[in-house]
Amino acid sequence: MKQFDSGGVGIETRATAPKGLTESDLVRMYEYMVLARSLDERMWLLNRAGQAPFVISCQGHEAAQVGAAFSLQPEKDVLVPYYRDLGMVLYFGLTPRELMLSLLARKGDPTSAGRQMPGHYGSRKHNVITGSSPVATQVLHATGIALAAKYRREDTVAWTCVGEGGTSQGDFHEALNFASIHRLPVVFFVENNGYAISVPQRKQMAIENVADRAAGYGMPGVTVDGGDPVAVYTVAREAVDRARAGGGPTLIEAKVQRLTAHSSDDDDRTYRDPEELKAERAQDPIVRFRAALMEQGVLTEAQDADIRARIKAQIDDATEFAEQAPYPDPAELMLHVYGS
Amino acid sequence: MKQFDSGGVGIETRATAPKGLTESDLVRMYEYMVLARSLDERMWLLNRAGQAPFVISCQGHEAAQVGAAFSLQPEKDVLVPYYRDLGMVLYFGLTPRELMLSLLARKGDPTSAGRQMPGHYGSRKHNVITGSSPVATQVLHATGIALAAKYRREDTVAWTCVGEGGTSQGDFHEALNFASIHRLPVVFFVENNGYAISVPQRKQMAIENVADRAAGYGMPGVTVDGGDPVAVYTVAREAVDRARAGGGPTLIEAKVQRLTAHSSDDDDRTYRDPEELKAERAQDPIVRFRAALMEQGVLTEAQDADIRARIKAQIDDATEFAEQAPYPDPAELMLHVYGS
Amino acid sequence: MATKLLIDAIRDTLFEEMRGDDRIIVLGEDVGKRGGVFRVTAGLIDEFGEERVIDTPLAESSIVGVAIGAALHGLLPVAEIQFFDFIHPAMDQIMNEAAKIRYRSGGDFDCPIVIRTPYGGGVHGALYHSQSLESAFTREPGLKVVAPVNPADAAGLLRSAIHDPDPVLFLEHKKAYRLIRDEVPENGHTVPIGKAKVVKEGSDVTIISYGMMLYESLAAANALEEKDGSSVEVIDLRTLRPLDKETILASVAKTGKVLIVHEANKVGGVGAEVAALIAEEAFPYLDGPIMRVAGPEVPAMPFSPPLEQAYLPNAEKIGAALEQLAAF
Amino acid sequence: MATKLLIDAIRDTLFEEMRGDDRIIVLGEDVGKRGGVFRVTAGLIDEFGEERVIDTPLAESSIVGVAIGAALHGLLPVAEIQFFDFIHPAMDQIMNEAAKIRYRSGGDFDCPIVIRTPYGGGVHGALYHSQSLESAFTREPGLKVVAPVNPADAAGLLRSAIHDPDPVLFLEHKKAYRLIRDEVPENGHTVPIGKAKVVKEGSDVTIISYGMMLYESLAAANALEEKDGSSVEVIDLRTLRPLDKETILASVAKTGKVLIVHEANKVGGVGAEVAALIAEEAFPYLDGPIMRVAGPEVPAMPFSPPLEQAYLPNAEKIGAALEQLAAF
Ligand SMILES: Cc1ncc(C[n+]2csc(CCOP(=O)(O)OP(=O)(O)O)c2C)c(N)n1
Ligand SMILES: Cc1ncc(C[n+]2csc(CCOP(=O)(O)OP(=O)(O)O)c2C)c(N)n1
Ligand SMILES: [Mg+2]
Ligand SMILES: [Mg+2]
């Protein structure tokens, strides 16, 4: 165990493997986190170079996402993500090449055929459900998926993610209520980064923890340090196990940091104190987890360098692949409006 | 104090006057309850006689409504009711004549000029806000009214009512959240009769008390016996005082009974056990309050007979008045679409 | 062939299809023991149980949103919105989700849901239980919208809708439920989505209508024919999106005169698109203005009987328009 | 007269009106310190404070619902919906509440709110940041809908909208914000709701448009005039409900030929009603079909540049339609 110092507040990042995780799983977790971060950073570079009109980031959310993803079984569970969930969709099998095709809106983009902005993940093959931009609509879809899974006597858990801002929407309320009435196998995962674009949490709700809403629906609610992938894994695993066992839904809130502006269209200097951002950066979950893994002897500098080199190569390949891909043919515009 | 026996469950109905209420207020409360009930019963008679196409009832909710109404100051507070709130709107000043005009959709109906179904109360003069049929939209209006009142430094409290069924709507969630963030002077009053038409509470939510949702918004929540007007008055008065003092919103849930079918269009025999209805009838709030008042010596048989005679005369008058009123002229159809 | 009321044709079809395919579930407010406020789903819960016939909380966005999710996971949900007037809270789920799932995923996902809902007035339903909002939906690519009023069409179109791979809004005129009775073929007959029906052939003028106004149109057509021997063709659109261009344009080519009739407000109604289509694609055949008889420009139908009557188009108003048109 | 960008004309008008009337408040997502994602409300919070410039939670139904309540209690709220695409969750509050409050109360209550929202595409906004949903609203009696694209019109119509006693949906084309610059009169000038503007007079054919397509229409008109000397009249509707019948019909009476152009999907678009109106009330003047150039029948505008381009109507497509029309 390591005490991580983030400006006075002692935050713990565990690197010991809990139920169901081996030490090599911890390293895999770390790899997914670095992959997500590195891919995201490359996307910003492409954006700043004028090649990608839009990027929306996972930076600061990686530990929460990857910790959560490890509690799921991508071959049978269903992920209903939101736009920051790069870390989760990578774990579910979307490849850097596929994601770069999506970023650059090229032909063959499996998430939307170049129709949606980047960050609108979806892939039937990978059990990742197509998403839209209006926030929080997806939580109802996850609920419906869980309803169908339960009805079909499947062993499936539906996992859905939403920002704390999205919890203000009526759909969030309706989904939790419906899921709890029917004790559905669904987990609601709130990635609370304290902002909805520029609106700070205190203007979004009069409570400190979104998870406190769970009681009002008759389901368990947990708030977890979203900078600690193992802590997130632990509560996620408990929720997933409960859902699979017929125990119904859980609301999990992971406290995370948004380390970038809201998106490449945003400039957060008008509304975010640079000091605050600095403090958030000091809690970078990747730095934290890396330090913890090293402290525990689970990861060495050499291994880390190796991982990063492999990931860099993968991302270089993906970038090149996507840059060389053609745009969709204009005639594709009219396809897939109706199925019959 | 009297222990009221309702088939085994001991329910208390107080007839001693708490803060701000005199004994004659208690009698006035009783009068409003009887007036609401009697008017409602007459409306059903007119419906069964084919004169009124639609009735929706307050029966079983009277104690909750009148108890709550007494905590308000109709000359400056604003009522944003729902369709069962006959008891509340009478207290705010809508007269039996006006309400009969509305029931029979006659010219001069002040609530809607004959345009809406009965039960869609509204009167600027009486500080009762116009309502629609879609449930729970009004809770947002009350929130907005409270926002304006606070902004204008008024001493006004907005009071809004909704059924427990309506609390499933997204608008309910959004309203409570907004009101709490801004600590607005608004009270959310849930009249929980256990049914949304035919859907029992257990199919509407996985919790027992709607008031338990308050914590998720950072506001106080209270569940009260809605069959006891004094109990309701007491918690209502506390909430209203807090709102007026700048302490923000409160969620109050009054447990009430629906003693009729959902409306005159409904037949509840398909979904409601006659035994259950019998048990509910045994808790008739008017019977309870009458017994308590008599026990306490606040009301005598003679007084009661007198009250009922006066009310009957008032309702006879209102019925006759409305029956003799003409229908609106067809040309009125095109009025009041736009104001300019 | 059995003769059935519209409501029974719909209910029977639900029973038959649910028996044949256990992917079909029904969800909505009061659809269980109450059998729906109009009793369209009466008895379903007894045969199919609470898992397939779900009384939902009072929240339309969740009814549609959950249906979408269930469809994404292999079911064929038939959602009920208790009154068309109350569909607005579900607008986002219908327009931004259901209608766009196929397109936004490049065909990777689809959304085979049916949303059934009673619409229309003339039953003292007042402003919020009488609305005809179909044109709010027919503007949306990705959605299909049907409004059969004849029992056989309703049965056939409901069957098509349930098995259609796209979201279908299925509109049921509430006044027609227990008023319109007709023969309904057995054995799972279907009516294709997207096909109008010429319910009465004629050569002088075409009336295009749907819903209860079809019957007012027929009455007006017959009255005119009796009066002056004019020959009036009457078309029941049945499907409001996609419009059956072929049938519409063929009729206009034949008669050269068009009257469109619906109960919904006139401005921006389905009739606007029908008129625009004709004005664009059949102009050379037109012998007179394209007229519309429709609801007046007030927010909805009032409660008071004289106001409700004043709102509703009827055979008389249609007849007057026909005569005006004949004068061209 | 100062020359201003559309976005500045709107912002300046908000400042001016808020200074003059403290009943005006602004509420919406990110309207405070962020000044809105497009910066339309930038600086307002500094001058007017958090009580008058309210950053709301991310919930559109509450934005409109709270605005309605505030209006019912004496304020003049200007609500912002961050993108038109995200207005659907507020549909019920807009359609069943705001638009019907006056009517349902027999005139006892009114609802003087403005709902501002950026719409339209061509900015890589993809399916959910490019929508043109105006016809979902123009069908609703009780609502007013304006879509000025010229800075002076925007300032004048915003002023009218804020002081209008009815709910007004105020549409701002997001591509025009920093593209369209023009002179804006000072001193609180207003433009009346319900009046179209003939932006270019002509005698052979009428183009009726609004929003960014107005400029494509003008370009096409000028190109045709240069090419063959045709004289094209171009009308900017500015207000989409109520339509300015007078201006529309007068122009058709003059030219006899009509092309309607908008970015929104064609079927059931605003153009359908304009066409239907003309086909009904100006038929004797028509010398050719009423044509429409509009967005294709796909759910919305895709992200990928070639697909976005393929979606958007432009001067070339408009020119082709003009030539087709000229051939009649
Ligand atoms: C219904 C809707 N309204 C507005 C927006 C615009 N918008 C996109 S993201 C966002 C903020 C989301 O905040 P949060 O849910 O906390 O997620 P975060 O971006 O912080 O991860 C907003 C307002 C939207 N996408 N959908
Ligand atoms: C948005 C909406 N959906 C459906 C309805 C139809 N409806 C009217 S009342 C009602 C039940 C309301 O139950 P509850 O809120 O508990 O109030 P109660 O009638 O029990 O007092 C329903 C479903 C409606 N009016 N509005
Ligand atoms: Mg956030
Ligand atoms: Mg109830």
Side-chain angles (χ1 to χ4, degrees), chain A residues 112 115-116 123-124 128 130-132 137 140-141 144-145 151-154 171 174 333 335-336 338-340, chain C residues 22 51-52 57 59 61-62 66 69-70 73-74 92-93 97 102-104 106 108-109 142-144 164 166 241:
Chain A
S112 81
R115 288 162 178 200
Q116 295 216 69
S123 162
R124 184 173 278 286
V128 177
T130 172
S132 65
T137 54
L140 280 168
H141 305 166
I145 289 166
Y151 169 65
R152 292 165 55 170
R153 308 288 182 267
E154 289 173 4
D171 276 6
E174 298 186 14
L333 175 71
L335 301 180
H336 304 305
Y338 291 106
S340 79
Chain C
D22 66 7
E51 261 196 316
R52 291 185 69 190
S61 190
S62 70
V66 166
H73 204 66
D92 197 37
Q93 288 289 348
E97 303 299 328
R102 181 185 299 280
Y103 193 77
R104 78 175 183 222
D108 197 21
F109 290 88
L143 265 192
K144 295 172 182 170
D164 194 275
D166 295 309
R241 181 179 185 106

Side-chain angles (χ1 to χ4, degrees), chain B residues 2 43 60 67 87 104 162 170 179 182 190 195 238 244 251 282 297-298 321:
Chain B
K2 160 148 177 37
M43 289 176 172
L104 301 181
V162 63
H182 293 275
V190 176
Y195 281 96
E238 197 183 309
R244 228 185 278 290
L251 173 62
V298 177
F321 175 78

Side-chain angles (χ1 to χ4, degrees), chain A residues 61 82-84 163-166 191-197 199 204 258:
Chain A
H61 292 225
Y82 88 125
Y83 48 79
R84 295 207 191 280
E164 94 291 344
E191 302 181 28
N192 184 352
N193 58 17
Y195 281 96
I197 307 187
V199 183
Q204 297 181 51
R258 198 186 82 194

Side-chain angles (χ1 to χ4, degrees), chain B residues 277-312:
Chain B
L277 189 55
K278 223 170 107 188
E280 301 227 327
R281 285 196 184 285
Q283 297 178 24
D284 185 325
I286 293 184
V287 176
R288 279 176 62 186
F289 196 43
R290 181 176 185 277
L293 289 173
M294 294 218 170
E295 179 86 14
Q296 287 298 109
V298 177
L299 182 74
T300 63
E301 290 284 357
Q303 263 179 300
D304 185 32
D306 191 52
I307 287 167
R308 286 176 185 263
R310 244 189 303 119
I311 284 172
K312 181 174 178 305

Side-chain angles (χ1 to χ4, degrees), chain B residues 61 82-84 133-135 163-166 169 193 195-197 204 258 262, chain C residues 29-30 58 60 82 86 89:
Chain B
H61 292 226
Y82 88 125
Y83 48 79
R84 294 209 192 280
S133 304
V135 303
E164 93 291 343
Q169 286 283 0
N193 58 18
Y195 281 96
I197 306 186
Q204 297 182 50
R258 197 186 83 193
H262 172 71
Chain C
E29 295 155 11
D30 304 291
L58 210 182
E60 285 74 12
Q82 196 161 82
F86 304 141

Side-chain angles (χ1 to χ4, degrees), chain B residues 78 111-113 115-116 123-124 128-132 134 137 140-141 144-145 147-149 151-154 171 174 178 181-182 333 335-340, chain D residues 22 51-52 54 56-57 59 61-62 65-66 68-70 72-75 92-93 96-97 102-109 141-144 164-166 241:
Chain B
V78 178
T111 69
S112 82
R115 287 161 178 199
Q116 295 215 68
S123 162
R124 186 172 277 287
V128 177
I129 300 295
T130 172
S132 65
T137 54
L140 279 168
H141 305 164
I145 289 165
L147 181 80
Y151 170 64
R152 293 165 53 169
R153 308 286 183 269
E154 289 173 4
D171 276 5
E174 297 187 14
F178 194 104
I181 292 166
H182 293 275
L333 174 71
L335 300 180
H336 305 304
V337 178
Y338 291 106
S340 78
Chain D
D22 66 7
E51 260 196 316
R52 291 184 71 189
I54 303 171
T56 64
S61 191
S62 70
V66 166
I68 291 170
L72 288 167
H73 204 66
L75 303 193
D92 197 39
Q93 288 289 347
N96 269 334
E97 302 299 327
R102 181 185 299 282
Y103 194 76
R104 79 177 182 222
S105 67
D108 196 20
F109 290 88
L143 264 192
K144 295 171 180 169
D164 194 276
D166 295 309
R241 181 181 185 104

Side-chain angles (χ1 to χ4, degrees), chain A residues 26 44 67 69 72 76 80 83 90 99 107 123 132 139 142 187 193 240 252 261 275 280 294 314 317 320 325 328:
Chain A
L26 296 182
W44 281 88
L72 293 163
K76 72 175 173 190
V80 191
Y83 48 79
L90 283 167
L99 292 160
K107 196 174 173 71
S123 162
S132 65
V139 294
V187 182
N193 58 17
V240 168
I252 300 176
E275 284 307 307
E280 300 226 327
M294 296 222 169
Q314 208 183 349
D317 163 76
E320 205 173 320

